[in-house]
Amino acid sequence: MGAVRRIRRTTITGVLLLAGIAAVVSFRHMHELCLRHGEDQLAAVLIPLAVDGAIVVASMSILLANRYGSRGSALAWIMLMVGSLASLGANIAIAEPSLIGRIIAAWPSAALIGSYELLMCQIRRAPDEGAVAEPADTSETAGSVRDDDHDSSESAEPDVGGAGDLRRTAWQWALAHRMPDGALPSGRVIAEHFARSARWGRWIKRIGLEGKLTDHDHSSLV
């Protein structure tokens, strides 16, 4: 687990560095394009920020929706596509009129969009791989959690027609309802589907990732 976290930190650092470099070059291209078309200095600074900012805001909105088991709103996807096309088009428009010139000018925008989406993918996957260390939900008090929300023995042994079967049913449901990027639903989403507390959902996700819900015959779940 420690090695995976180090690799992830290195990857995220590299993606952020690439995104920063690409953002500076893309900003300069769009800034120059605005000046060429009669915008004043202030507008020439704000317009590139608005274009790339639309990409960031749309991606963050989609990321938040993914955390709750949704694909994101149509508006967020439209903003993401329009912002990406506007950024790419502005960078190409500033290039010298040759194939190589257009490719060179388009690359910073493409690198910015791609690296930012790679970063979002890393963030989307983070909850699954770090589920074992997921913090307790401080919004719930011990008294508000039903007795069956956390068992004193986290053995996940089957109870005939009881809690053990429900645990494995919940885990199978989570596996069958992965996000488009392969991430499992959050503990809260699992819990809401089975009308349990968020703590119970996180516990199911944790013991499922530990393999405690796959050691027994699943014939009763078919």
Side-chain angles (χ1 to χ4, degrees):
M1 182 64 72
V4 171
R5 288 174 179 169
R6 285 195 295 271
I7 293 172
R8 171 172 287 144
R9 282 197 296 267
T10 302
T11 301
I12 291 177
T13 301
V15 170
L16 287 173
L17 180 61
L18 173 61
I21 294 171
V24 170
V25 179
S26 178
F27 174 86
R28 293 185 63 184
H29 285 171
M30 285 191 281
H31 180 263
E32 183 178 346
L33 182 66
C34 290
L35 292 177
R36 285 186 185 182
H37 287 78
E39 299 293 339
D40 59 27
Q41 285 290 344
L42 179 60
V45 170
L46 295 179
I47 291 174
L49 293 177
V51 172
D52 289 335
I55 298 173
V56 173
V57 170
S59 294
M60 293 301 294
S61 176
I62 294 170
L63 172 62
L64 181 61
N66 289 167
R67 291 291 179 89
Y68 288 93
S70 170
R71 286 275 297 165
S73 67
L75 177 59
W77 284 102
I78 291 171
M79 282 187 63
L80 179 61
M81 289 186 289
V82 170
S84 299
L85 290 174
S87 177
L88 192 60
N91 278 270
I92 292 175
I94 204 68
E96 73 172 42
S98 67
L99 177 60
I100 295 178
R102 291 190 175 101
I103 291 174
I104 292 173
W107 181 251
S109 178
L112 174 60
I113 296 167
S115 58
Y116 189 78
E117 284 306 306
L118 285 174
L119 179 60
M120 291 298 100
C121 287
Q122 290 292 323
I123 296 174
R124 290 185 191 110
R125 293 190 180 99
D128 286 342
E129 296 174 11
V132 174
E134 192 171 6
D137 189 350
T138 56
S139 65
E140 295 179 308
T141 63
S144 66
V145 181
R146 295 201 300 264
D147 291 338
D148 61 353
D149 284 347
H150 55 85
D151 293 351
S152 57
S153 66
E154 296 182 354
S155 61
E157 291 296 325
D159 299 326
V160 178
D165 290 335
L166 180 60
R167 296 173 199 141
R168 289 194 297 279
T169 299
W171 176 239
Q172 291 298 317
W173 181 89
L175 292 175
H177 291 81
R178 289 180 179 271
M179 305 297 181
D181 61 3
L184 288 169
S186 67
R188 185 176 297 277
V189 171
I190 296 172
E192 288 175 352
H193 184 78
F194 291 91
R196 298 298 182 94
S197 72
R199 181 179 300 176
W200 184 87
R202 289 195 302 272
W203 177 66
I204 290 296
K205 188 173 178 181
R206 176 169 64 83
I207 63 175
L209 290 169
E210 291 174 351
K212 294 180 179 178
L213 298 177
T214 57
D215 295 334
H216 304 285
D217 181 22
H218 293 198
S219 60
S220 63
L221 303 178
V222 178

